[in-house]
Amino acid sequence: MNNVEIDITALSCPIPAETEHERITLGYGEGGYLTRKFIRERLLPRFDNPTLRQLGDAAILNIDSRRIVFTTDCYTVTPLFFPGGDIGKLAIFGTVNDLAVSGAIPRWLSLSLVIEEGLAWKTLDRVLDSIQAAAASACVMIVTGDTKVVPRGAVDQLFITTSGIGELEATAPPGPELLRDGDVLIASGPIGCHGASILCAREHLEFDPIPTSDCADVTAPLVALQRAGVAPRAIRDATRGGIAAILQEWAESSRRSCVIEETLIPLNAEVRSLCELLGLDPLHLANEGTFVLATAPELVEQTMEILHQHAVSSRATVIGKITPRRVAPVMVVRGIGREVVLDEPIGAPLPRIC
Amino acid sequence: MKFMDEYRQPALIQRNLAELRQAITRRWVIMDVCGGQTHSLLRHGLEAALEDVLELVHGPGCPVCVTPAEAIDAAAELARRPNVIVASFGDMLRVPGQRGSLLQARAEGAKIRIVYSPMDAVELAASQPDQQVVFFGVGFETTVPATALALLHARQRGLTNFSLLVSHVRVEPAMRAVMQSAETRVQGFLAAGHVCTVTGYENYHSFVAEFSVPVVVTGFEPLDLINGLFECVQSLEQGQPRLSNQYERSVSPTGNLHAQRLMEQVYEIVDTPWRGFGRIAGGGLAIRPEFCEFDARVRFQLADAVCSSDVDCRSKEVMLGVIKPPECPLFGNQCTPETPVGAPMVSSEGACSAYYRYSRSNELTS
C-alpha cells in the first residue's frame, strides 16, 4: 500500500474557522470566555491603565477638583473611515471637545461598543488603534466600558458611545445668555470640512482634492485662553447643524442677533466647490474640530494671538459680532453688503436638483 | 473660484446696481422663471436692494415644487413594494405628496436611495439584478437629457430591471401660461439660464413677438442677475421688447444639440399637470411608446398623473406673479417649509419658501 500523505488542514472545516478568525461573532458579546478574551487581547493592551485593569463594574476615580464636567455622546457614521478620520477618532475627540468647550480639562472616558456580528476583526482593530491613538494624544484615560455584539442588521457595522469626565480648569464659560452687543464672534478654522468629507465618502463623490474632515482635539487653545485670563463669553464646537445652528441658539438665548460676514468666513476651496455644486451652505455643514467663540471686543487681539499659536486653531478668524435684535436671529452680510437672513437647517442637508 | 468670484465682486455689483437703478423710470414688473434665480436674488439681497424701484416676481420655475403630489405618492407606493428600489435626487425627498414625503416613506421601510445622477440608478440596477430600480425623473430640460441617456444606457446594457417614473416639465409653456392668464401683470422675463444651455433660446423669438414682452436669458450669480435685469429694463424703457442673451458664457442660440437629440429620441411633448398651477398645454414630457418598457407607469401599471384638487392656498397666483408670497393668508402660519401647503413652499427653490427663509421676521419678535 502506498503511503498517502494526508493534508490535515484539508480535513478541517475551513469556513467556520475562517469566519471565527476574521469576523466577530455574537459569542463575543455574551459575557463569557469570548468576551473576556476580547477584553484581554484587544482592549486592555491598547487602553491599559490601573483603573481599567481592575475590570470592575464601575471605575473608581480619584478626583481633586470639586467641580467636574460630565458629558456623553453616541457616534454612528457611514462610512466608518473617511478622509481625515474614522468613527474611533470621532468618538474620542467628539466627547473630549464637548468637555473642552465647557471649560474642562478632559480626564476620563467610558467606551461602549455596539458591534454588528460579522464585522471584520481587521476593521474593528483599525478602529481600536485609532481610539488608542486619539485617547493618548488627548491625554484621556479609558476607565470603563462595555461591548455588545448584536445580530446582523441590528446596527450598521459599529456604533460607539463615549461618556467623559473633565475637571473644570477655572470657571465655566459664562454661556450665551450673557452675550452682549458688540461681542465678537470667532471661528477657529475653515468650516464645513467634516460634513463635506462624510458626504463625499458616503456618496462616492469624486472631488479632487477630496475634502478632509477637521476631526481634532480642541482642548489646547481653550485651556491656553483660560490660563491667560482671556476666557471667552461662550464657546461651542460646531458639530451637526454647523455654525448656523450654534449662532441660532446663541441668538435665541441672548435675545440678540448674530451678524456674520460671508467674506470673512474661512472656507477651504474644495468645501466651497462642493457646496456651490450641490447647493449646500457650508454654514450648515458639520465640523468636528472647529469651534465658535464669542468674546468681549477688548479681548479679541489677545484671543486671536493665543488661538494662532495652536495648530488646531491656527486659521482662527473673526467672522462677525453680536448685535441688538434684527429681523431674524442670524443675519449674514453677503458680498454686496446687505444683511440677509440666514436660514436654519431643517434636517440633514439634501443636495439640490439643478 | 473661476466663473463665480468674477460675478460676485462687490464693487462691480454696486456700480452696476447703481446704473440699473438710474435706468429705471417706472416700477416694471419682471419675472424670473427659474427657482435658482429666485434663490439667488433673495440670498444675495438683490431683491431688497431694488424693491423701491422694481417689482420682481418669481415664476413657477421650481421643478421639485410643481411635481404633482400624486407622482410623489406613486414613487412612495412603488418603493414600498417588495423588490423595488426608488432612486431620486435628494431634494425630492422632503417634498410632501398627499400621503407624506419620500423621507417619511423611507422611515416606514420603503426602499428609497438618493443618487446624484440618473446614471447612478442604472449602476444600481446593474449591481442588483433581483431588484427593480425606478429612477424618479424630475426636472426641467436641464435634467431631461440625463434621464434620457440613462434610459438608453439601460437599454444598451440589456437591463430589464431599470425604469423611469417621469415627471419632467418644460419651461417655455409655463411662461406662456403666465402670459395667457387674464390676471398677469408680468412685463418682462428673465429666462432660465441653465435650461437655455440645453435648449438654446431661438424658440423664444416667437414668444417675444406674440406677447410683446422682453425675454433676457440670464445666469444665477449676482452680477448675472443685475445685468439681466438691466437689459430687460432697457428693453422696456425703450418700448422695444426683444430677446437677448446675458449668459453667453453658458448659452448659445441653438443650445446643446446633442442633448436635444437625446431628449427628442426618448421623450414626446405632452400636456401635464403642474402642482399648484393646473394642467399646462405642452408643459411636460412623456416617454415615447417605443421605450414604454422603461416607463415605470407602464411596467407597474400606474395611473397617469392627475391634477390633484388644489388646496386653499394662493400658490397659482404666486406663480403667475399676481401676488407676492406674503400676501397669501396661509403664508408663514399654516404654510411653512416644515409644513408646506402650497407648491412654492415645498422646496427651498420655491418662491414662497425662499421668501419665508430670507424675508421673514421670525421668532425673535415673539
Side-chain angles (χ1 to χ4, degrees):
Chain A
M1 196 174 151
N2 291 337
N3 263 347
V4 179
E5 212 171 298
I6 296 173
D7 178 0
I8 295 179
T9 56
L11 295 175
S12 64
C13 183
I15 296 163
E18 282 283 309
T19 308
E20 185 73 14
H21 281 306
E22 292 185 359
R23 298 184 179 278
I24 194 163
T25 52
L26 284 173
Y28 283 88
E30 298 294 344
Y33 166 75
L34 287 177
T35 305
R36 281 189 288 118
K37 180 173 144 77
F38 175 72
I39 294 170
R40 203 174 56 238
E41 290 180 358
R42 289 191 144 84
L43 300 182
L44 274 182
R46 287 186 172 93
F47 310 130
D48 189 37
N49 60 65
T51 314
L52 183 66
R53 217 174 295 144
Q54 292 169 10
L55 297 177
D57 282 334
I60 298 169
L61 307 173
N62 291 313
I63 302 178
D64 300 329
S65 169
R66 288 191 61 228
R67 293 184 70 199
I68 61 163
V69 179
F70 179 45
T71 187
T72 189
D73 216 335
C74 50
Y75 299 85
T76 70
V77 63
T78 309
L80 294 180
F81 304 91
F82 46 85
D86 58 80
I87 190 170
K89 186 177 175 186
L90 208 57
I92 299 302
F93 289 156
T95 296
V96 160
N97 289 349
D98 282 345
L99 295 172
V101 297
S102 307
I105 298 182
R107 297 282 191 216
W108 301 279
L109 294 189
S110 73
L111 172 70
S112 294
L113 307 168
V114 182
I115 308 167
E116 185 184 22
E117 72 169 322
L119 183 72
W121 283 117
K122 200 170 60 178
T123 307
L124 187 58
D125 284 336
R126 216 177 130 193
V127 173
L128 293 175
D129 286 343
S130 172
I131 292 175
Q132 180 186 12
S137 84
C139 300
V140 290
M141 275 196 286
I142 292 166
V143 288
T144 185
D146 189 31
T147 303
K148 295 280 188 296
V149 183
V150 297
R152 208 173 254 278
V155 297
D156 183 8
Q157 299 187 79
L158 173 64
F159 291 176
I160 300 179
T161 300
T162 51
S163 299
I165 293 177
E167 291 182 279
L168 210 56
E169 169 67 6
T171 51
E177 314 77 48
L178 299 178
L179 290 174
R180 294 179 199 162
D181 296 340
D183 280 356
V184 174
L185 295 163
I186 295 170
S188 70
I191 67 164
C193 299
H194 180 72
S197 165
I198 295 293
L199 189 63
C200 285
R202 189 166 53 213
E203 307 296 343
H204 308 289
L205 304 178
E206 289 164 4
F207 283 85
D208 184 21
I210 194 129
T212 302
S213 169
D214 57 343
C215 185
D217 171 12
V218 302
T219 311
L222 295 179
V223 170
L225 285 177
Q226 289 217 18
R227 291 191 178 156
V230 283
R233 203 104 64 191
I235 319 168
R236 281 288 296 275
D237 53 338
T239 54
R240 274 173 309 167
I243 305 273
I246 289 171
L247 297 182
Q248 191 84 24
E249 280 180 40
W250 283 4
E252 276 163 24
S253 22
S254 66
R255 303 199 58 81
R256 292 180 159 73
S257 277
C258 298
V259 179
I260 55 174
E261 287 197 37
E262 189 177 41
T263 51
L264 298 179
I265 297 165
L267 201 54
N268 286 339
E270 57 271 27
V271 176
R272 187 171 169 210
S273 304
L274 175 126
C275 286
E276 291 290 348
L277 204 64
L278 298 179
L280 302 174
D281 192 330
L283 290 164
H284 293 165
L285 292 183
N287 306 275
E288 285 294 342
T290 304
F291 55 89
V292 191
L293 64 80
T295 198
E298 62 274 16
L299 299 180
V300 170
E301 202 177 320
Q302 217 183 334
T303 302
M304 293 297 277
E305 200 176 305
I306 292 169
L307 292 177
H308 288 160
Q309 285 162 4
H310 294 85
V312 73
S313 53
S314 60
R315 289 176 65 191
T317 312
V318 169
I319 59 167
K321 57 177 190 277
I322 303 293
T323 68
R325 287 187 211 178
R326 301 288 212 262
V327 293
V330 188
M331 306 294 290
V332 191
V333 181
R334 300 281 180 199
I336 69 164
R338 293 191 80 92
E339 276 184 19
V340 180
V341 175
L342 176 69
D343 54 322
E344 199 180 2
I346 293 180
L350 293 175
R352 271 208 321 256
I353 193 169
C354 63
Chain B
M1 199 168 287
K2 192 113 177 85
F3 295 128
M4 214 152 53
D5 291 339
E6 302 93 310
Y7 301 93
R8 293 187 186 176
Q9 291 176 48
L12 204 52
I13 290 171
Q14 293 297 359
R15 200 191 70 192
N16 289 16
L17 204 54
E19 276 176 26
L20 169 61
R21 291 179 65 93
Q22 274 195 333
I24 300 168
T25 63
R26 271 181 56 186
R27 197 174 151 79
W28 302 104
V29 181
I30 299 176
M31 174 175 274
D32 58 276
V33 177
C34 175
Q37 291 167 335
T38 307
H39 186 80
S40 196
L41 283 168
L42 290 161
R43 182 175 195 266
H44 295 283
L46 293 176
E47 174 154 334
L50 289 164
E51 65 188 348
D52 56 326
V53 288
L54 210 55
E55 186 172 349
L56 298 176
V57 292
H58 313 289
C62 164
V64 169
C65 297
V66 300
T67 298
E70 175 276 340
I72 296 165
D73 293 337
E77 195 267 314
L78 280 178
R80 287 192 180 97
R81 294 190 190 185
N83 305 319
V84 179
I85 299 171
V86 170
S88 170
F89 292 129
D91 50 357
M92 221 36 237
L93 263 61
R94 263 200 210 106
V95 182
Q98 285 167 315
R99 296 191 295 276
S101 66
L102 293 180
L103 272 185
Q104 287 164 328
R106 189 167 74 176
E108 290 158 17
K111 297 170 296 305
I112 293 158
R113 297 273 181 86
I114 296 178
V115 293
Y116 292 81
S117 152
M119 289 301 288
D120 294 345
V122 176
E123 290 305 326
L124 186 65
S127 67
Q128 303 210 28
D130 56 334
Q131 298 285 318
Q132 282 289 330
V133 175
V134 181
F135 181 74
F136 194 10
V138 172
F140 284 120
E141 291 94 329
T142 34
T143 54
V144 177
T147 63
L149 196 63
L151 184 151
L152 293 172
H153 268 266
R155 189 175 70 155
Q156 198 181 9
R157 293 167 67 171
L159 295 178
T160 54
N161 64 330
F162 175 83
S163 60
L164 292 170
L165 179 64
V166 170
S167 191
H168 281 311
V169 279
R170 299 173 65 236
V171 168
E172 196 261 0
M175 290 167 64
R176 203 164 270 278
V178 168
M179 287 317 292
Q180 283 164 347
S181 152
E183 305 158 289
T184 192
R185 296 157 53 235
V186 175
Q187 295 166 302
F189 282 96
L190 304 185
H194 288 157
V195 168
C196 293
T197 306
V198 174
T199 62
Y201 55 89
E202 286 181 329
N203 54 335
Y204 287 109
H205 281 295
S206 58
F207 182 90
V208 172
E210 186 178 340
F211 297 106
S212 289
V213 287
V215 173
V216 185
V217 179
T218 305
F220 301 83
E221 295 302 327
L223 210 52
D224 289 324
L225 289 159
I226 292 169
N227 294 348
L229 287 170
F230 186 79
E231 172 58 28
C232 198
V233 163
Q234 278 212 316
S235 189
L236 287 165
E237 294 283 347
Q238 293 158 1
Q240 293 167 343
R242 58 181 174 256
L243 174 63
S244 50
N245 181 11
Q246 281 294 322
Y247 198 35
E248 282 180 350
R249 70 181 184 281
S250 179
V251 180
S252 71
T254 52
N256 182 336
L257 295 173
H258 179 61
Q260 290 167 31
R261 274 195 295 274
L262 282 172
M263 272 169 42
E264 277 155 33
Q265 187 185 349
V266 172
Y267 293 105
E268 60 188 357
I269 296 169
V270 292
D271 299 349
T272 295
W274 286 43
R275 186 178 194 164
F277 204 100
R279 189 165 285 273
I280 295 184
L285 294 166
I287 294 175
R288 288 185 185 277
E290 57 262 43
F291 296 105
C292 68
E293 62 192 294
F294 294 98
D295 189 337
R297 288 191 183 277
V298 175
R299 181 171 297 182
F300 299 99
Q301 295 168 348
L302 305 174
D304 276 346
V306 290
C307 214
S308 36
S309 55
D310 274 346
V311 282
D312 302 336
C313 81
R314 299 176 68 186
S315 60
K316 184 170 181 178
E317 291 161 90
V318 170
M319 290 193 273
L320 285 170
V322 176
I323 61 165
K324 292 265 196 180
E327 291 171 56
C328 174
L330 303 187
F331 179 83
N333 40 68
Q334 278 121 301
C335 186
T336 65
E338 234 175 312
T339 53
V341 178
M345 190 63 98
V346 299
S347 156
S348 64
E349 306 272 292
C352 293
S353 171
Y355 257 77
Y356 183 83
R357 299 189 316 152
Y358 293 123
S359 327
R360 78 201 142 121
S361 307
N362 56 10
E363 55 266 55
L364 262 187
T365 53
S366 63

